[in-house]
Amino acid sequence: MSGPVGVLIVDEDPRSRAGLRLVLGAAADLRVVGEAGDGAQLVPMVERHDPDVVLMDIWMSAWDGLAAIVVLRERPDPPEVIVLSAADADERVLRALRAGAAGFLRKDTPAAEVVSAVRRVARGQPVLSPAVARRLVARVSDSDRDRRRAVARAGLASLTAREHAVAVAVGQGRGDEEIGVLLFLSVAQVEAYVASVLARLGLNNRVQITLLVHDAGLLDGQG
């Protein structure tokens, strides 16, 4: 990516927006391209400013943030979305990640970690550790869990053996270099397999691979 990473901040709280603007503005490689205090402004502002990353409070009044994520993901070359929440055991956060958000941050996340997260998602890397994924899924009641497990296992079973191994490694939170060492692949080959997994399973990003692997019960000896 050439030039600074463009970031759009969407939050009803002006103090939160000011804090994020201050944090992001201190990084030379990041640029706040716009702010929205009303979620209804999100899509028009994305069209106007073409940000690389959207930092968005998932709890806002008078609009459906989950639907907005779906709309953004349907755009050509969509921005990556990081959802913000005051809590990490939140059904809405999990639904946002399943809808295609590339990461999740608590609102009390230290400034350096916010900057790092924006940089990471701009490079196509997830901002959701397997531990947080497990905590989210474990704490959120999901009456559809059995169906999700069956669907996840069927999807993973449709992959080649190498694609399956790469998907599980992504779900374990391994980086491309570590996956390459583990599976005797180059980083370029790992990236190609990840792209193939995303395409075969109709997923948007690595966070969704992580959730799928978790749904299938393949982490930490589940299932």
Side-chain angles (χ1 to χ4, degrees):
M1 179 179 297
S2 60
V5 174
V7 184
L8 174 65
I9 300 170
V10 186
D11 196 312
E12 288 181 335
D13 185 349
R15 293 170 298 180
S16 294
R17 295 200 308 273
L20 288 169
R21 184 173 65 248
L22 184 64
V23 166
L24 299 172
D29 58 335
L30 306 180
R31 181 171 64 95
V32 176
V33 297
E35 298 178 28
D38 177 354
Q41 301 172 6
L42 173 60
V43 173
M45 291 198 72
V46 167
E47 292 175 349
R48 184 180 313 129
H49 298 291
D50 193 24
D52 302 297
V53 178
V54 175
L55 271 176
M56 182 176 70
D57 182 4
I58 195 61
W59 284 105
M60 299 180 70
S61 60
W63 77 300
D64 187 345
L66 298 174
I69 292 173
V70 173
V71 170
L72 290 182
R73 295 308 308 175
E74 290 175 345
R75 290 172 54 86
D77 194 22
E80 300 293 354
V81 177
I82 300 176
V83 293
L84 305 170
S85 176
D88 63 0
D90 189 319
E91 182 178 2
R92 199 167 180 82
V93 170
L94 183 57
R95 289 171 61 198
L97 294 169
R98 292 194 190 281
F104 156 66
L105 295 173
R106 285 176 53 103
K107 283 200 163 187
D108 58 0
T109 299
E113 292 182 26
V114 174
V115 170
S116 175
V118 171
R119 288 170 174 157
R120 287 177 61 189
V121 298
R123 295 195 298 265
Q125 300 173 358
V127 181
L128 181 73
S129 71
V132 172
R134 284 193 296 272
R135 194 158 66 242
L136 272 170
V137 173
R139 292 184 185 176
V140 174
S141 168
D142 189 352
S143 61
D144 209 21
R145 186 166 297 172
D146 289 342
R147 187 193 67 82
R148 286 190 183 281
R149 174 159 293 195
V151 170
R153 289 185 172 183
L156 291 170
S158 72
L159 303 176
T160 66
R162 188 53 61 90
E163 288 169 342
H164 187 281
V166 169
V168 172
V170 169
Q172 293 169 337
R174 301 180 189 274
D176 288 353
E177 291 186 4
E178 187 180 2
I179 295 173
V181 171
L182 181 69
L183 300 178
F184 304 101
L185 300 170
S186 68
V187 170
Q189 287 174 314
V190 173
E191 292 173 346
Y193 277 117
V194 170
S196 180
V197 170
L198 293 173
R200 278 180 177 267
L201 300 181
L203 303 177
N204 293 315
N205 52 47
R206 296 181 186 220
V207 166
Q208 289 182 319
I209 295 177
T210 296
L211 292 175
L212 189 78
V213 171
H214 187 100
D215 285 341
L218 300 182
L219 299 180
D220 293 340
Q222 302 171 27

